[in-house]
Amino acid sequence: MAIQSPTFQQQDWIATLPAVARNDEMVLFDRYPPLTILGLTMKRMPRSGKRRDRQSPTAAKAAPQKTPPQRELPTTVVGVVTAAKWGWTLEVADRKDKTDYILRFPDKAKELDGQLIAARCLPSTKHGRQEAEITTVLGDPEDPRLVSLIAIHSNNIPHSFPQEVLDEAAAAQPVTLKGRTDLRAVPLVTIDGEDAKDFDDAVFAEAHQDGWHLIVAIADVAHYVTEGSALDREAYLRGNSTYFPDRVVPMLPEALSNELCSLKPNVDRACMAVHMWIDQKGELTKWKFERGVMRSHARLTYTQVQHAMDGKPDKTTAPLLETIIKPLYGAYACLIAARTRRGTLELDLPERQVVLDKTGHVKAIVMRERFDSHKLIEEFMICANVAAAVQLEGKGGLCLYRVHDKPSEIKLETLRDFLDSIGIKLVPARQMHPSVLTHILENAAGTEHAAVVNEVMLRSQAQAVYSPENIGHFGLALAKYAHFTSPIRRYADLLIHRALVRVCDLGKDGLSDEAVAILDKKGEHISGTERRSSTAERDVVDKLTALFLQDKVGATFEARISGVARFGLFARLNETGADGIIPFGSLPRDYYVFDEKKQALIGERHGRIYRLATPITVRLETADRLTGGMSFAIVEENDGSPKPSKPFRKDKRPATPSPTEQRKKGDKNRKNEKAEKSEKVKKTVKNDRTQKRRKSEKPVKQARK
């Protein structure tokens, strides 16, 4: 399913922006940062009074009238109650929403002046402003803990569980060994982040003949969340969990996500396990799925495991180093070798991490560290996902694949134009393979263009979605791929678990025929909820970043140009990764021409050139904590003071006119010459007529005499 590029209209201009994607857990899906634009194309549309294809009044009446498409208003809008001339309005927290909302019940709105509220959009009329009705009072807009609530309400993310869902979760009981394999003696361990609360996967590896035997055990969510139950309906509605710096909106109630379905150490837990055997080349040779009861032998973190392998084990990892951790790395070495031969797309995109203090205020914004221990778990999960997809292949349409199409020709042309501007050639579309793009990224690594090449490469990718129609996964260079390893937080994985139960005859709670019949609709729905969560998570990080930088307005920062458009530039700060706009009017004075292929603004008079990825120094002008928007101005002097713009010279040695000015001047001269010539012709004709009239009048006068 291709991404449709959204179109924004303003007066008689139409700006079409390319749809983009982001990388998460080695798979690509939608990401649309509003402050980074690449390949912006503008089309001049004829004004309504100058159209050449005008119809006759009769034809116009006969022709069907097309209603212009209108932007769909959100069902819920969040903002601050503000007084205006025409009543009480809403200062909206979404910077993309330019609608003027007027609040019903002004007396109630007056009491909430200056408060952050959520309102329900009411059906609009043909005339007047859009009305909204207050539904929830969130609190003081200065409270940083409300930032995530803004995203939750703005994106219509369900965040409270109905009572029947909570009752079902509370009634769940631990499983017994009946009909299950006893895996409690296997030294499975969980490896997650320091702040993780739900542990849905555990891993184990041991040497086996000429290769390795791997076990990936996943929480058996399908046992507790049965098809058609209240828990199932709510999980499907949410589609996935949503993660914010200060809270989590889980797909399942905490009684399951943090308790019975969380693989905590030293407690018995129901699991769906896959045994995998790989050879020394990292190729999957055979596999087996089973339901079991496991007991995690340790709760480890990525940092702990990495330090242990680097020779700095702690009291938890020291006893596990030789028997558990090193075998995991041995199997990982084979898997990563297979990945390299396969030629996957290896994007290097730092992820911002917002660090909060106990009161919810932003303490710091840092780039999240990435260790080999992260990659180890990712490779184990990818291998398990492949095994699940292959197991379900050809079983009557039971598999909901995770598919990622190759880039479209339009996006490849945009990418090719940019790479050409920095001296890098791209192969034709028919020869495109992820290894080709990775080779370009490797060549760009360590150069000044490395960050932006990764970003532009990411934006050229298609959107990964869930679909029963398998087209493979371009980014991972895999022919078959599905999501199996996170049923606590992704409904797609829960569907795969049910399908495996049915195919492998592991119980009576497998995927039903009714669910199989609408698997395509389910895939579309959960692909949408995934994008919804991604948008909300990104908005929260942007708003918290703006809040963190709000008291630094006027300070200077090192940055790079992350986008170029006709109306200005976009910059990304090196330290925090914050994005902001540099409006056209704040650029040093010059006559700028936008070169779309080179992605540059070129000053024709003074020779200034602002290109994509160019390092610059900027001054923070504004930081709106409510919307997350920021604006910058370019600082040109080393001392941090803005360089004054040079006025156009009018002295004895005027500046050399630009080609555009020369062309305009030539057009003006030719126009003047034409006007003068026309005036001479008119005078000549007039003189001739006057002489003829006088000659005709002379004989008449003589006759009268």
Side-chain angles (χ1 to χ4, degrees), residues 74 86 99 107 127 165 202 211 228 248 355 393 444 602 631 633 637 664:
W86 53 83
T99 309
D107 293 339
H127 307 286
V165 175
V248 176
V355 182
E393 179 78 6
I602 302 172
S631 65
E637 291 291 338
K664 289 182 178 179

Side-chain angles (χ1 to χ4, degrees), residues 7-60:
T7 300
F8 303 89
Q9 297 189 6
Q10 182 178 2
Q11 296 179 357
D12 57 342
W13 288 94
I14 294 181
T16 303
L17 296 89
V20 294
R22 83 176 177 95
N23 188 5
D24 180 68
E25 240 183 15
M26 308 309 294
V27 290
L28 299 160
F29 54 87
D30 181 49
R31 178 176 183 256
Y32 204 103
L35 292 179
T36 306
I37 301 178
L38 178 66
L40 180 70
T41 57
M42 306 287 284
K43 297 180 181 179
R44 185 67 170 172
M45 302 298 291
R47 294 183 182 276
S48 58
K50 297 182 180 180
R51 295 186 62 89
R52 297 183 180 180
D53 56 343
R54 298 175 67 89
Q55 294 178 316
S56 65
T58 306

Side-chain angles (χ1 to χ4, degrees), residues 291-331:
R291 274 178 148 172
V293 177
M294 62 155 287
R295 180 178 295 172
S296 173
H297 284 229
R299 183 271 199 255
L300 306 178
T301 67
Y302 295 115
T303 306
Q304 278 182 306
V305 173
Q306 190 62 49
H307 286 175
M309 285 300 294
D310 292 341
K312 302 175 184 177
D314 57 19
K315 62 181 181 180
T316 302
T317 57
L320 309 175
L321 183 58
E322 296 296 331
T323 57
I324 296 178
I325 296 177
K326 284 189 176 181
L328 289 173
Y329 272 83

Side-chain angles (χ1 to χ4, degrees), residues 360-410:
H361 289 83
V362 182
K363 186 177 180 181
I365 297 176
V366 298
M367 296 302 165
R368 193 182 296 272
E369 290 186 287
R370 183 170 172 79
F371 303 120
D372 283 345
S373 54
H374 289 90
K375 299 177 184 178
L376 182 153
I377 293 299
E378 286 174 356
E379 289 305 312
F380 272 63
M381 299 303 112
I382 289 173
C383 192
N385 289 337
V386 170
V390 176
Q391 179 71 36
L392 296 174
E393 179 78 6
K395 299 294 182 180
L398 294 180
C399 187
L400 187 65
Y401 297 94
R402 178 66 168 182
V403 296
H404 176 226
D405 203 356
K406 56 186 177 182
S408 66
E409 292 185 6
I410 296 176

Side-chain angles (χ1 to χ4, degrees), residues 660-676:
T660 304
E661 290 173 331
Q662 292 179 16
R663 185 174 63 254
K664 289 182 178 179
K665 187 175 181 181
D667 293 342
K668 186 176 181 181
N669 291 340
R670 283 191 293 272
K671 187 176 181 181
N672 292 338
E673 290 175 0
K674 187 176 180 180
E676 291 176 1

Side-chain angles (χ1 to χ4, degrees), residues 352-596:
R352 278 183 289 172
Q353 180 180 7
V354 180
V355 182
L356 304 176
D357 60 18
K358 294 181 180 179
T359 62
H361 289 83
V362 182
K363 186 177 180 181
I365 297 176
V366 298
M367 296 302 165
R368 193 182 296 272
E369 290 186 287
R370 183 170 172 79
F371 303 120
D372 283 345
S373 54
H374 289 90
K375 299 177 184 178
L376 182 153
I377 293 299
E378 286 174 356
E379 289 305 312
F380 272 63
M381 299 303 112
I382 289 173
C383 192
N385 289 337
V386 170
V390 176
Q391 179 71 36
L392 296 174
E393 179 78 6
K395 299 294 182 180
L398 294 180
C399 187
L400 187 65
Y401 297 94
R402 178 66 168 182
V403 296
H404 176 226
D405 203 356
K406 56 186 177 182
S408 66
E409 292 185 6
I410 296 176
K411 290 184 178 181
L412 284 177
E413 283 303 312
T414 302
L415 175 62
R416 182 175 286 105
D417 289 340
F418 167 71
L419 294 177
D420 284 343
S421 70
I422 58 175
I424 299 176
K425 299 298 180 183
L426 184 64
V427 300
R430 63 179 180 275
Q431 302 176 15
M432 188 54 58
H433 187 272
S435 60
V436 174
L437 303 181
T438 297
H439 181 67
I440 292 175
L441 294 171
E442 290 172 350
N443 290 338
T447 68
E448 61 179 359
H449 303 298
V452 74
V453 169
N454 275 271
E455 186 74 22
V456 174
M457 195 79 73
L458 175 65
R459 296 175 186 283
S460 70
Q461 299 304 304
Q463 177 189 22
V465 295
Y466 295 104
S467 172
E469 299 296 329
N470 183 28
I471 60 173
H473 198 293
F474 176 81
L476 294 174
L478 291 169
K480 303 176 184 69
Y481 192 69
H483 274 172
F484 159 77
T485 56
S486 298
I488 287 180
R489 59 185 180 90
R490 289 192 306 229
Y491 193 83
D493 302 52
L494 178 56
L495 291 174
I496 294 296
H497 277 233
R498 289 174 180 165
L500 289 169
V501 170
R502 173 173 173 166
V503 169
C504 300
D505 195 20
L506 298 176
K508 297 181 180 181
D509 48 356
L511 199 64
S512 67
D513 292 337
E514 293 78 7
V516 173
I518 57 172
L519 209 55
D520 55 342
K521 294 182 179 179
K522 289 181 178 291
E524 291 178 5
H525 170 74
I526 56 183
S527 296
T529 60
E530 180 184 58
R531 291 191 295 272
R532 178 182 66 186
S533 294
S534 176
T535 300
E537 291 165 357
R538 183 179 64 248
D539 287 348
V540 168
V541 173
D542 288 344
K543 286 180 172 64
L544 289 175
T545 303
L547 175 61
F548 179 67
L549 296 174
Q550 195 173 32
D551 59 352
K552 297 176 178 60
V553 171
T556 58
F557 302 90
E558 295 303 314
R560 285 187 182 273
I561 296 176
S562 59
V564 182
R566 297 179 189 273
F567 48 81
L569 303 171
F570 297 89
R572 177 169 297 161
L573 304 187
N574 297 341
E575 184 179 356
T576 61
D579 289 300
I581 187 172
I582 304 175
F584 194 88
S586 68
L587 295 175
R589 189 174 179 183
D590 206 332
Y591 185 86
Y592 292 95
V593 176
F594 174 53
D595 190 324
E596 184 177 353

